[in-house]
Amino acid sequence: MTDLTVEQQIDQLNQAKQLVLQDASIYPQIIRGILPIAQKPEPRLRSWCAAFLADGFASAEVNAGERQVLAVACLHTIEILFEETDFHVLKNLIQCSASIYPLIFKHICANKSDKETLHRITAIKSRILGLWDSGSEGIKLCCIKFVQRVIAVQTPGTKDPRLADSSDVSLTQVPLDHPLIPHPVLEAEAQGLLDRLLSVFYEPNIIESSISATLYATGILIKTRSTIANKILTRILAFDPLTAQFATSDPMRLKLELRFIEKNLRILLGNVLKTSSIASQYGTRIQQYLAQLLQAKNLSVEDLVRKRAGEPIGAANIKRQRTDSPAVLTPPSRDVQLSYAQLYTLIDPSLPLTRFDVKTLPHEVATEVVIAGLIALNRQALDNAIMAVRRRYNELYPPPAVIRIEESSANGQTVPATTYVDDDDDDYEPDYEPDYEPPDVIVASPAAPLARQVLVDQTQPVIMDQKAVANKLLAVDELSYSDADSEDDRYREMSADADTFVLPPPKPLDQSERLELFQQIIERIFASGSQFENTLFADSTKKTGKDIKDLTNVALGGDIWIVLLSRLGTRGLSAHIETKAETELRQVSSVMASFIREKLFAHVMADFRTRVDVAITWLNEEWYNDKMKLRQKTTSTSNGNGDVTDDTLSIEDSPYVQWASKILDSVIPFLDAKDRVFLRFLSDLPELTPGMISKLRPLCRDPDRSKLGYLALQYLVKLRPPVRQYCLELMESLKQESSTQT
């Protein structure tokens, strides 16, 4: 083959591969024949040989004795191929090394003087462990498989010959006096690799694929190596996916990754309960862990983000905190501003309740919580809380001194303290008394016509002439009385013209203010979450059906409000703008409509299974609006004979197709095999396009959920004739892919 080109050599290699697929007994002959070709520098030849070696040693049809001899013969070629940096070459070589490592280890156990083979396999192992640190994500996943094989080989297996597997290679088969591979060194290396493998559960930036690959690898170790099964299960049961630090920050992708991890954990622990010998020891803990995983599976995206942030999920999960012993707030300096929230917070700042954002609660829920709290509150606890806030405020901002004007007598002596009040206020007794003692109180003389209090700063001395102060106080009184008289006259004039009073028009708003106010209204509506369809706009009276008058006092229901929002986002705003030829208003209308659609989409995706009716109602309104627009365009572009001249009219690029496709893209990755609500969603969509049908392809290709995908196609073929041809084409394409892979 030296005179042939690379293309011709690859063609001949493919022919040899076809012969091997027909007769597996010629595998050893073909492998020995490609070893010289694999050492050539051409990248394409090396890539083909690496893939063939990986497939050959992974095949179970080759005799075990021949595989061991071939592994030793291929070791030098594999070491040369590891000089390549191509992703596919390295991936196949690592998989091949994972297959031959037990064979090489068994060969060294039987040949105590074969140092060259030990040196080569050690070099290959060092190369793979280096790639485990610096390689790409796909390379690291292959390295995890290799590390699992190394741990299994270098860990003692079962000592009972009745339970031992003849094909299983472990440290038990190594003689204690072996000069090349001593027991303590190999077992210590295996324990170190196991710790490194399990450290993926505690890394700061976790990747879902690494967790899944580790779970696959540890499942085999738990079943075959009982000496390290306890350590592995302890690490796995201590792993909490909800609090782990993942590399992704996208909430939807995070939920999808958590779904995959939850599924893999459930499969692994379920198999441990069924087959492992330590199931009785960890049975209770595993059942509790699986119950927690089931609760995490039902969390919405919003609850998932709130849970990972350490905040409580919903108002019902918030524990009550006692306020009998309010927490002490350290008074800040005078130049530090204190918020009202900090002033009135009476619980320990370290409690999780302080991090809960009450603005996320719907108004009706917050009102019910406050009323229930006031009813159950002890009067003594309320008084203690009020006094604590008052004391805190006085510590932060000490009250000023209360100074009353004093007057000396003619002989220079101070007149005894006397307080005068008006005759009309004789029966007035104030309920509130300050909780501080005003220092240096100076009382006015009996000659004062009216008792007045003047508040001044403590740090400034007060030296005032008594007559001047009295005159100022009288002037203030006269001004107050005159203002009161004029105010009464003004009220009298307003009452006389009450019948003709007209409320002044509101302040006009510009486009940005209108848009901001509109967004606030929509956000407030959707902030109710699950209460949106149930209690926020629920019927205020029961529809008994006995009399027509019983149906007159009915409020808007949640479904009616969904229709209203959908029509406001599709036809309502655009219809209003059609009457105006202003570009700015048209742009604002488009922004408002997009904002409503985004909110509807987020509301549906927060809990698709229970809000599928909302999605169907919204998309039906979108489809109807698109059809009306197409009909208007058709009418405007038709000629005198009624023939349509615009060939670009199509629903493929309409908002209906855009948002329906977006919902399908967001829902399909999270579907289970038993999610029949998805079939209802497809059946109630007003129109299905070829692009929407093609989105069922990944669902049909998934082995765990293919039943749901094919059931959806079967339903559409039987009951949706307009899309029958698209579904049949997709099923034919899937069949061809399956036959090609096999």
Side-chain angles (χ1 to χ4, degrees), residues 418-428 448-452:
T418 306
T419 304
Y420 283 83
V421 296
D422 291 340
D423 295 337
D424 297 337
D425 298 334
D426 290 340
D427 298 333
Y428 174 72
L450 187 63
R452 292 287 182 177

Side-chain angles (χ1 to χ4, degrees), residues 31-42:
I31 288 178
R32 290 188 177 91
I34 67 170
L35 292 181
I37 301 175
Q39 299 181 11
K40 293 183 178 181
E42 286 79 3

Side-chain angles (χ1 to χ4, degrees), residues 403 405 442 454 456-457 460-464 469:
I403 301 178
I405 304 171
I442 306 175
V454 181
V456 297
D457 191 357
Q460 299 180 358
V462 179
I463 303 176
M464 304 180 67
V469 172

Side-chain angles (χ1 to χ4, degrees), residues 78-79 223 242 251 293 299 309 359 424 443 466 526 569 710:
I78 294 175
E79 186 179 5
K223 184 177 180 180
L242 292 180
L293 291 179
L299 292 179
K359 292 185 293 184
D424 297 337
V443 185
Q466 293 90 358
F526 283 101
Y710 282 106

Side-chain angles (χ1 to χ4, degrees), residues 63-325:
N63 184 275
E66 294 182 356
R67 291 176 62 199
Q68 181 174 336
V69 176
L70 287 175
V72 177
C74 297
L75 201 60
H76 177 61
T77 302
I78 294 175
E79 186 179 5
I80 295 176
L81 291 176
F82 261 110
E83 299 175 357
E84 289 289 330
T85 58
D86 182 70
F87 169 80
H88 298 285
V89 174
L90 293 177
K91 180 179 177 181
N92 290 321
L93 289 176
I94 296 173
Q95 293 177 351
C96 180
S97 301
S99 300
I100 68 174
Y101 189 82
L103 302 175
I104 299 298
F105 191 84
K106 190 175 182 180
H107 169 78
I108 296 176
C109 291
N111 299 271
K112 299 181 180 181
S113 60
D114 194 354
K115 295 183 179 180
E116 182 180 1
T117 302
L118 177 62
H119 176 73
R120 287 176 176 173
I121 193 63
T122 303
I124 292 175
K125 181 168 62 174
S126 300
R127 170 65 171 158
I128 295 176
L129 294 180
L131 292 174
W132 195 17
D133 291 331
S134 59
S136 60
E137 181 179 354
I139 295 296
K140 291 181 179 180
L141 298 182
C142 296
C143 293
I144 291 176
K145 178 62 178 177
F146 176 79
V147 169
Q148 180 261 328
R149 285 294 178 88
V150 174
I151 295 173
V153 169
Q154 299 182 189
T155 304
T158 179
K159 297 181 180 180
D160 191 348
R162 296 171 300 177
L163 302 177
D165 187 0
S166 59
S167 61
D168 185 27
V169 181
S170 66
L171 191 62
T172 307
Q173 301 176 2
V174 179
L176 296 178
D177 58 347
H178 201 288
L180 300 180
I181 45 176
H183 269 248
V185 176
L186 294 178
E187 190 170 4
E189 183 184 13
Q191 291 295 328
L193 292 176
L194 179 61
D195 292 336
R196 186 177 173 187
L197 179 66
L198 298 177
S199 65
V200 69
F201 296 110
Y202 308 101
E203 291 180 354
N205 295 321
I206 293 178
I207 302 176
E208 178 273 330
S209 57
S210 299
I211 295 290
S212 299
T214 303
L215 292 174
Y216 295 150
T218 54
I220 300 176
L221 295 176
I222 292 174
K223 184 177 180 180
T224 59
R225 298 294 182 265
S226 58
T227 56
I228 58 176
N230 292 324
K231 183 177 183 179
I232 296 174
L233 278 178
T234 302
R235 294 287 185 91
I236 292 177
L237 294 178
F239 173 65
D240 186 2
L242 292 180
T243 59
Q245 299 296 325
F246 284 81
T248 180
S249 58
D250 184 15
M252 295 297 294
R253 181 177 177 84
L254 177 61
K255 182 175 175 60
L256 188 61
E257 291 186 358
L258 286 175
R259 177 186 176 88
F260 292 152
I261 293 176
E262 178 269 335
K263 178 181 177 182
N264 293 328
L265 284 170
R266 182 162 35 87
I267 294 175
L268 171 63
L269 297 178
N271 290 332
V272 170
L273 290 176
K274 295 178 181 178
T275 60
S276 179
S277 59
I278 60 174
S280 58
Q281 180 180 354
Y282 288 89
T284 304
R285 291 183 59 185
I286 291 176
Q287 293 290 352
Q288 295 176 355
Y289 190 81
L290 291 176
Q292 295 177 359
L293 291 179
L294 183 61
Q295 295 177 358
K297 178 182 178 181
N298 299 326
L299 292 179
S300 62
V301 178
E302 290 81 359
D303 290 341
L304 177 61
V305 175
R306 192 177 293 113
K307 176 71 175 178
R308 291 180 56 78
E311 300 177 359
I313 302 176
N317 295 333
I318 303 176
K319 297 182 179 179
R320 293 184 179 180
Q321 305 294 338
R322 296 181 57 87
T323 58
D324 296 341
S325 301

Side-chain angles (χ1 to χ4, degrees), residues 27 47 147 165 193 237 280 289 300 323 342 393-394 401 436 489 519 522 536 567 596 618 651 668 673 677-678 716 725:
Y27 248 122
S47 178
V147 169
D165 187 0
L193 292 176
L237 294 178
S280 58
Y289 190 81
S300 62
T323 58
Q342 294 173 330
Y393 183 82
N394 292 335
Y436 56 85
D489 295 338
Q519 293 177 351
I522 299 300
L536 183 60
R567 294 182 179 179
I596 293 178
W618 167 36
I651 201 173
I668 288 178
V677 68
F678 179 69
L716 295 176
Q725 186 63 30

Side-chain angles (χ1 to χ4, degrees), residues 385-528:
I386 295 175
M387 292 300 297
V389 175
R390 182 184 300 170
R391 183 166 53 252
R392 181 184 297 174
Y393 183 82
N394 292 335
E395 292 177 357
L396 296 174
Y397 307 101
V402 179
I403 301 178
R404 298 178 183 178
I405 304 171
E406 71 171 10
E407 185 177 356
S408 301
S409 62
N411 56 8
Q413 298 180 356
T414 302
V415 178
T418 306
T419 304
Y420 283 83
V421 296
D422 291 340
D423 295 337
D424 297 337
D425 298 334
D426 290 340
D427 298 333
Y428 174 72
E429 295 181 1
D431 295 333
Y432 170 75
E433 294 181 2
D435 56 352
Y436 56 85
E437 291 293 334
D440 301 330
V441 176
I442 306 175
V443 185
S445 65
L450 187 63
R452 292 287 182 177
Q453 295 179 350
V454 181
L455 301 179
V456 297
D457 191 357
Q458 289 179 335
T459 59
Q460 299 180 358
V462 179
I463 303 176
M464 304 180 67
D465 181 64
Q466 293 90 358
K467 294 182 179 181
V469 172
N471 293 333
K472 290 183 178 181
L473 294 176
L474 291 175
V476 171
D477 288 337
E478 294 176 358
L479 181 60
S480 301
Y481 294 148
S482 62
D483 292 343
D485 294 339
S486 61
E487 193 75 13
D488 293 340
D489 295 338
R490 191 166 62 87
Y491 288 147
R492 193 177 299 110
E493 294 175 0
M494 291 178 60
S495 62
D497 299 335
D499 295 338
T500 60
F501 175 76
V502 179
L503 186 67
K507 177 185 176 182
L509 302 177
D510 56 15
Q511 297 300 332
S512 60
E513 292 175 342
R514 291 181 184 178
L515 181 60
E516 181 180 1
L517 183 61
F518 176 82
Q519 293 177 351
Q520 291 177 358
I521 294 173
I522 299 300
E523 287 179 352
R524 183 174 179 181
I525 292 174
F526 283 101
S528 58

